[in-house]
Amino acid sequence: ETPKIDHYPGASNLINLRDHQKRGVARGMTDSTIFAHAVGTGKTYLYTTLGMELRRIKAARKPTIVVQGSTIKQFATSARKLYPTAKILALTKDITNGPENRRSALAKIASGDWDLVIVPHSTFNLIGSNPTREAGFIQEQLDEIRDAIREEGGSDPDSSKVKRNDSMTVKQLRKMLKRKEARLKSLRDKPHEDNAIYFEDLGIDALLIDEAHAYKRGDFFTKMDNIKGLDRSASQKSFDFLMKVRYVQEKTGGKNIYLATGTPI
Protein backbone atom coordinates (compact mmCIF):
# COMPACT_ATOMS: atom_id res chain seq x y z
CA GLU A 1 0.00 0.00 0.00
CA THR A 2 1.32 3.43 -0.96
CA PRO A 3 1.89 5.76 2.04
CA LYS A 4 -0.48 8.72 2.01
CA ILE A 5 2.22 11.36 2.16
CA ASP A 6 3.14 14.06 -0.35
CA HIS A 7 6.57 15.01 0.99
CA TYR A 8 8.70 13.44 3.71
CA PRO A 9 9.92 15.63 6.61
CA GLY A 10 12.84 17.81 5.52
CA ALA A 11 12.41 17.00 1.82
CA SER A 12 11.89 19.66 -0.84
CA ASN A 13 8.29 20.40 -1.75
CA LEU A 14 9.42 20.87 -5.37
CA ILE A 15 10.05 17.14 -5.85
CA ASN A 16 7.29 14.55 -5.82
CA LEU A 17 8.17 10.91 -5.26
CA ARG A 18 6.38 8.29 -7.33
CA ASP A 19 4.17 5.70 -5.66
CA HIS A 20 6.65 2.84 -6.07
CA GLN A 21 9.38 4.96 -4.46
CA LYS A 22 7.15 5.66 -1.46
CA ARG A 23 6.33 1.96 -1.17
CA GLY A 24 10.06 1.20 -1.29
CA VAL A 25 10.74 3.62 1.55
CA ALA A 26 7.90 2.10 3.59
CA ARG A 27 9.26 -1.41 3.02
CA GLY A 28 12.75 -0.33 4.00
CA MET A 29 11.47 1.21 7.22
CA THR A 30 10.16 -2.16 8.38
CA ASP A 31 12.98 -4.51 7.38
CA SER A 32 16.11 -5.08 5.34
CA THR A 33 15.29 -5.77 1.69
CA ILE A 34 16.48 -5.84 -1.91
CA PHE A 35 15.08 -3.41 -4.46
CA ALA A 36 15.04 -5.14 -7.85
CA HIS A 37 14.23 -1.93 -9.70
CA ALA A 38 15.28 -1.41 -13.30
CA VAL A 39 17.42 1.50 -14.49
CA GLY A 40 15.45 4.75 -14.60
CA THR A 41 13.01 3.94 -11.81
CA GLY A 42 14.43 6.52 -9.41
CA LYS A 43 16.65 4.58 -6.99
CA THR A 44 18.50 7.81 -6.14
CA TYR A 45 15.48 9.47 -4.54
CA LEU A 46 14.34 6.17 -3.02
CA TYR A 47 17.69 5.55 -1.32
CA THR A 48 18.11 9.18 -0.27
CA THR A 49 14.67 9.30 1.31
CA LEU A 50 15.10 5.93 3.00
CA GLY A 51 18.46 6.95 4.46
CA MET A 52 17.10 10.26 5.72
CA GLU A 53 14.03 8.58 7.24
CA LEU A 54 16.19 6.02 9.05
CA ARG A 55 18.19 8.92 10.47
CA ARG A 56 15.06 10.94 11.36
CA ILE A 57 13.44 8.16 13.40
CA LYS A 58 16.83 7.29 14.94
CA ALA A 59 16.89 3.81 13.43
CA ALA A 60 20.37 4.73 12.14
CA ARG A 61 22.89 7.33 13.23
CA LYS A 62 25.03 7.34 10.09
CA PRO A 63 23.26 5.83 7.04
CA THR A 64 25.71 5.26 4.19
CA ILE A 65 24.90 4.84 0.52
CA VAL A 66 27.42 3.00 -1.70
CA VAL A 67 27.22 3.85 -5.42
CA GLN A 68 29.27 3.49 -8.58
CA GLY A 69 32.10 5.99 -8.85
CA SER A 70 30.85 7.22 -12.21
CA THR A 71 27.51 8.27 -10.71
CA ILE A 72 28.49 9.61 -7.28
CA LYS A 73 28.52 13.31 -8.27
CA GLN A 74 25.13 13.02 -9.94
CA PHE A 75 23.80 11.04 -6.98
CA ALA A 76 25.06 13.62 -4.47
CA THR A 77 23.61 16.49 -6.50
CA SER A 78 20.18 14.81 -6.59
CA ALA A 79 20.34 13.98 -2.86
CA ARG A 80 21.09 17.61 -1.98
CA LYS A 81 18.33 18.79 -4.29
CA LEU A 82 15.83 16.54 -2.51
CA TYR A 83 17.12 17.47 0.99
CA PRO A 84 18.61 20.99 0.66
CA THR A 85 19.38 21.44 4.38
CA ALA A 86 20.79 17.99 5.09
CA LYS A 87 24.41 17.41 6.12
CA ILE A 88 25.57 15.15 3.31
CA LEU A 89 29.15 13.95 2.86
CA ALA A 90 29.94 12.64 -0.64
CA LEU A 91 33.39 11.09 -1.09
CA THR A 92 34.04 11.99 -4.71
CA LYS A 93 37.23 10.90 -6.47
CA ASP A 94 39.06 14.19 -5.83
CA ILE A 95 38.50 13.74 -2.09
CA THR A 96 39.68 10.12 -1.87
CA ASN A 97 42.49 10.13 -4.44
CA GLY A 98 45.55 8.56 -2.78
CA PRO A 99 46.11 6.83 0.58
CA GLU A 100 46.49 10.02 2.64
CA ASN A 101 43.41 11.67 1.18
CA ARG A 102 41.46 8.47 1.66
CA ARG A 103 42.52 8.23 5.30
CA SER A 104 41.52 11.87 5.85
CA ALA A 105 38.14 11.16 4.24
CA LEU A 106 37.56 8.15 6.49
CA ALA A 107 38.45 10.25 9.53
CA LYS A 108 35.87 12.78 8.36
CA ILE A 109 33.22 10.03 8.25
CA ALA A 110 34.18 8.79 11.71
CA SER A 111 34.23 12.20 13.40
CA GLY A 112 31.31 13.93 11.67
CA ASP A 113 27.62 13.95 12.55
CA TRP A 114 26.34 13.32 9.02
CA ASP A 115 22.72 12.89 7.97
CA LEU A 116 23.91 10.89 4.99
CA VAL A 117 27.25 9.59 3.72
CA ILE A 118 27.70 8.70 0.04
CA VAL A 119 30.70 6.53 -0.89
CA PRO A 120 31.85 5.09 -4.23
CA HIS A 121 32.28 1.32 -4.56
CA SER A 122 36.04 1.72 -5.05
CA THR A 123 36.53 3.52 -1.73
CA PHE A 124 34.12 1.24 0.10
CA ASN A 125 36.08 -1.80 -1.11
CA LEU A 126 39.33 -0.38 0.26
CA ILE A 127 37.98 0.11 3.79
CA GLY A 128 39.32 -2.82 5.79
CA SER A 129 37.62 -4.65 8.62
CA ASN A 130 39.31 -5.03 12.00
CA PRO A 131 41.76 -7.98 11.58
CA THR A 132 40.94 -9.41 15.01
CA ARG A 133 37.23 -9.49 14.24
CA GLU A 134 37.85 -10.87 10.75
CA ALA A 135 40.07 -13.64 12.14
CA GLY A 136 37.34 -14.63 14.59
CA PHE A 137 34.78 -14.70 11.79
CA ILE A 138 37.02 -16.89 9.62
CA GLN A 139 37.64 -19.27 12.54
CA GLU A 140 33.88 -19.73 12.91
CA GLN A 141 33.66 -20.55 9.21
CA LEU A 142 36.53 -23.05 9.49
CA ASP A 143 34.69 -24.86 12.27
CA GLU A 144 31.51 -24.99 10.16
CA ILE A 145 33.40 -26.36 7.14
CA ARG A 146 35.07 -29.07 9.25
CA ASP A 147 31.67 -30.08 10.64
CA ALA A 148 30.32 -30.28 7.08
CA ILE A 149 33.24 -32.49 6.02
CA ARG A 150 32.46 -34.86 8.89
CA GLU A 151 28.76 -34.94 7.94
CA GLU A 152 29.69 -35.83 4.37
CA GLY A 153 31.84 -38.74 5.54
CA GLY A 154 35.19 -37.11 4.90
CA SER A 155 38.09 -38.47 6.95
CA ASP A 156 40.43 -36.17 8.84
CA PRO A 157 38.38 -32.95 8.65
CA ASP A 158 41.34 -30.94 9.98
CA SER A 159 43.23 -31.63 6.76
CA SER A 160 42.75 -29.26 3.83
CA LYS A 161 44.45 -31.73 1.46
CA VAL A 162 42.07 -33.23 -1.10
CA LYS A 163 42.03 -37.03 -0.89
CA ARG A 164 41.35 -39.60 -3.60
CA ASN A 165 38.31 -41.18 -1.97
CA ASP A 166 36.63 -37.87 -1.12
CA SER A 167 33.25 -37.12 -2.67
CA MET A 168 32.93 -34.08 -4.94
CA THR A 169 31.28 -32.15 -2.10
CA VAL A 170 34.08 -32.97 0.35
CA LYS A 171 36.69 -31.98 -2.25
CA GLN A 172 35.00 -28.60 -2.64
CA LEU A 173 34.85 -28.19 1.14
CA ARG A 174 38.56 -28.99 1.51
CA LYS A 175 39.44 -26.40 -1.15
CA MET A 176 37.36 -23.83 0.70
CA LEU A 177 39.02 -24.84 3.97
CA LYS A 178 42.46 -24.35 2.45
CA ARG A 179 41.53 -20.91 1.12
CA LYS A 180 40.14 -19.80 4.48
CA GLU A 181 43.20 -21.09 6.35
CA ALA A 182 45.47 -19.12 4.00
CA ARG A 183 43.46 -15.95 4.63
CA LEU A 184 43.61 -16.50 8.38
CA LYS A 185 47.39 -16.99 8.23
CA SER A 186 47.86 -13.78 6.22
CA LEU A 187 45.83 -11.85 8.81
CA ARG A 188 47.93 -13.21 11.66
CA ASP A 189 51.21 -12.52 9.83
CA LYS A 190 50.26 -8.99 8.84
CA PRO A 191 51.95 -6.28 10.97
CA HIS A 192 49.60 -4.32 13.22
CA GLU A 193 48.92 -0.73 12.10
CA ASP A 194 48.52 1.61 15.07
CA ASN A 195 46.87 4.39 13.04
CA ALA A 196 44.63 2.26 10.81
CA ILE A 197 40.98 3.27 10.43
CA TYR A 198 38.75 0.24 10.05
CA PHE A 199 35.12 -0.04 8.99
CA GLU A 200 34.15 -0.66 12.59
CA ASP A 201 35.59 2.77 13.55
CA LEU A 202 33.37 4.79 11.18
CA GLY A 203 30.08 4.62 13.07
CA ILE A 204 28.19 3.35 10.03
CA ASP A 205 25.01 1.55 11.12
CA ALA A 206 23.01 1.37 7.89
CA LEU A 207 24.21 0.30 4.43
CA LEU A 208 22.31 1.08 1.24
CA ILE A 209 24.16 -0.58 -1.64
CA ASP A 210 23.44 0.41 -5.24
CA GLU A 211 24.44 -2.00 -8.05
CA ALA A 212 24.66 -4.70 -5.39
CA HIS A 213 25.42 -7.41 -7.96
CA ALA A 214 29.02 -6.14 -7.79
CA TYR A 215 29.33 -8.18 -4.59
CA LYS A 216 28.09 -11.51 -5.93
CA ARG A 217 30.04 -14.80 -5.69
CA GLY A 218 30.29 -15.11 -1.94
CA ASP A 219 31.58 -18.33 -0.33
CA PHE A 220 29.03 -21.11 0.03
CA PHE A 221 28.88 -24.87 -0.02
CA THR A 222 26.09 -27.23 -0.97
CA LYS A 223 25.42 -30.97 -1.12
CA MET A 224 23.94 -30.52 -4.60
CA ASP A 225 27.20 -31.06 -6.45
CA ASN A 226 25.73 -32.21 -9.77
CA ILE A 227 24.01 -29.00 -10.85
CA LYS A 228 25.33 -27.85 -14.21
CA GLY A 229 26.62 -24.29 -14.18
CA LEU A 230 26.80 -23.97 -10.38
CA ASP A 231 29.60 -21.46 -9.73
CA ARG A 232 31.38 -22.15 -6.45
CA SER A 233 34.22 -19.72 -7.06
CA ALA A 234 34.50 -17.05 -4.38
CA SER A 235 35.37 -13.36 -4.47
CA GLN A 236 37.46 -11.71 -1.74
CA LYS A 237 35.48 -8.53 -2.39
CA SER A 238 32.28 -10.41 -1.56
CA PHE A 239 33.77 -11.74 1.66
CA ASP A 240 34.88 -8.24 2.70
CA PHE A 241 31.38 -7.01 1.95
CA LEU A 242 29.88 -9.79 4.05
CA MET A 243 32.10 -8.77 6.98
CA LYS A 244 30.76 -5.22 6.83
CA VAL A 245 27.17 -6.38 6.48
CA ARG A 246 27.52 -8.70 9.47
CA TYR A 247 28.94 -5.85 11.58
CA VAL A 248 25.97 -3.58 10.81
CA GLN A 249 23.59 -6.45 11.54
CA GLU A 250 25.30 -7.09 14.88
CA LYS A 251 24.81 -3.44 15.82
CA THR A 252 21.17 -3.25 14.73
CA GLY A 253 19.75 -6.68 15.53
CA GLY A 254 19.89 -7.85 11.92
CA LYS A 255 18.48 -4.67 10.37
CA ASN A 256 19.55 -1.76 8.12
CA ILE A 257 20.94 -3.64 5.10
CA TYR A 258 19.49 -2.62 1.72
CA LEU A 259 20.54 -3.82 -1.72
CA ALA A 260 19.47 -2.42 -5.10
CA THR A 261 20.14 -3.99 -8.48
CA GLY A 262 18.47 -4.29 -11.83
CA THR A 263 19.91 -7.82 -12.16
CA PRO A 264 18.95 -9.64 -8.95
CA ILE A 265 19.29 -13.14 -10.45
Side-chain angles (χ1 to χ4, degrees), residues 145 149 154-179 181:
I145 295 170
I149 290 174
S155 60
D156 191 11
D158 290 322
S159 173
S160 60
K161 185 178 180 181
V162 175
K163 300 183 179 182
R164 184 178 299 177
N165 62 340
D166 283 341
S167 68
M168 184 60 70
T169 300
V170 172
K171 287 178 180 178
Q172 294 292 341
L173 290 170
R174 290 197 193 280
K175 288 179 181 178
M176 187 183 295
L177 186 72
K178 187 175 183 178
R179 188 167 62 248
E181 287 176 335

Side-chain angles (χ1 to χ4, degrees), residues 42-114:
K43 285 181 286 186
T44 299
Y45 284 160
L46 166 56
Y47 259 8
T48 301
T49 305
L50 177 54
M52 291 297 292
E53 281 295 283
L54 290 172
R55 164 87 171 180
R56 183 181 67 83
I57 68 171
K58 296 182 171 53
R61 189 176 69 85
K62 198 174 292 183
T64 298
I65 303 175
V66 183
V67 302
Q68 287 184 314
S70 59
T71 63
I72 188 169
K73 286 188 177 180
Q74 179 183 346
F75 198 108
T77 298
S78 297
R80 290 179 175 125
K81 182 179 179 181
L82 182 58
Y83 285 89
T85 62
K87 291 178 61 179
I88 298 175
L89 174 65
L91 299 188
T92 51
K93 187 176 180 180
D94 54 313
I95 295 176
T96 59
N97 189 22
E100 288 302 317
N101 286 341
R102 190 159 51 247
R103 178 176 172 76
S104 176
L106 295 183
K108 189 176 290 187
I109 295 176
S111 61
D113 182 28
W114 305 104

Side-chain angles (χ1 to χ4, degrees), residues 131 135-136 139 142 181-191:
Q139 189 60 61
L142 289 174
E181 287 176 335
R183 176 61 178 168
L184 185 60
K185 184 179 185 302
S186 69
L187 282 172
R188 289 171 174 168
D189 292 345
K190 187 177 180 180

